[in-house]
Amino acid sequence: SFDKFTLIHSGVITGTRNLAYLFSALKRLISSNEGAAGNIEFIVIGNIPRSQKKEISRHSLWDVVTNVDYMEREKYVETLVKAHLPVVVNFTDPALVPGKLYEYWGSRNKMLLLDTVDSAAGELVTTYQLGDVVGPDDEEAIYQSLSRSYDAWLSGELEQNDVSGLGDFDRKFLTGKLEDAFAEVAND
C-alpha cells in the first residue's frame, strides 16, 4: 500500500455532486491531527469541475489532493488496491449502484459511500459491511468516518473487506441467471 493514508475517487464528479462537506471534513481531519498534512493524500481520477476545484482551494487542500485526468486500467487497479479508503459519491439516484462500488469492493478496502442508507448502494454497502454510508451533507459523520479510518491506518489496523459475495454480482453470473429465467418462462 501507499506510504501515506490514501483516499481515492475515480470517475467524473458531476456538477450536481457537491463535495464541499467532504473537503471540509478532510481539512478538519488534517487540522486536528498533528502531522496529518504530510500523511494524507486524496487521489481523484477524472475531471474535477471548477466549482469543486474552488472548494479544494477554499479549504487549502491542493497539497493533499492529486488530480489525474486519466489512468490506464492496469495502473488504476494497482492504485486502487494500494489506496486505503475508496470514496464513492452517489447521491443523485437512490436506485443506482455505481459500477465502481464493485471495483472498490474487489480492492478489499473498506469504503466511504456518500449516499443515504436506504439507497440501493447504501443497502449493498451495509448488507455486506463494506464500509461507512454517510449522507453527503453530513460533515460531522464524514469527519468521524475519515477519522476512524485514519486512526486505524496509523495503528496498522485497517480492516479488509470479505470479497466472497462479490461473485454474486458478476455480469456473467447474472447473465446466466437471466438466461435461466428466460428459459423457464419459454418452457411454460
Side-chain angles (χ1 to χ4, degrees), residues 57-161:
S57 294
R58 186 168 76 86
H59 294 292
S60 303
L61 289 172
W62 282 114
D63 289 343
V64 173
V65 176
T66 301
N67 184 213
V68 180
D69 286 332
Y70 172 78
M71 191 177 283
E72 302 247 348
R73 180 79 181 153
E74 187 175 308
K75 178 72 173 165
Y76 163 68
V77 171
E78 176 186 332
T79 302
L80 179 58
V81 170
K82 289 172 66 174
H84 302 100
L85 183 65
V87 177
V88 183
V89 180
N90 185 51
F91 50 90
T92 55
D93 184 348
L96 179 69
V97 177
K100 79 179 90 194
L101 191 144
Y102 301 105
E103 292 177 349
Y104 290 0
W105 185 359
S107 77
R108 297 186 181 271
N109 296 310
K110 294 290 183 183
M111 65 185 79
L112 170 60
L113 171 64
L114 300 180
D115 203 348
T116 59
V117 177
D118 62 348
S119 69
E123 288 178 13
L124 184 71
V125 169
T126 302
T127 299
Y128 287 91
Q129 301 175 352
L130 303 176
D132 292 335
V133 181
V134 177
D137 57 355
D138 189 343
E139 183 181 330
E140 180 61 27
I142 295 170
Y143 170 75
Q144 292 298 327
S145 178
L146 292 175
S147 186
R148 277 191 306 276
S149 295
Y150 181 67
D151 290 345
W153 173 78
L154 282 174
S155 66
E157 297 177 5
L158 270 176
E159 290 183 53
Q160 295 267 280
N161 281 325

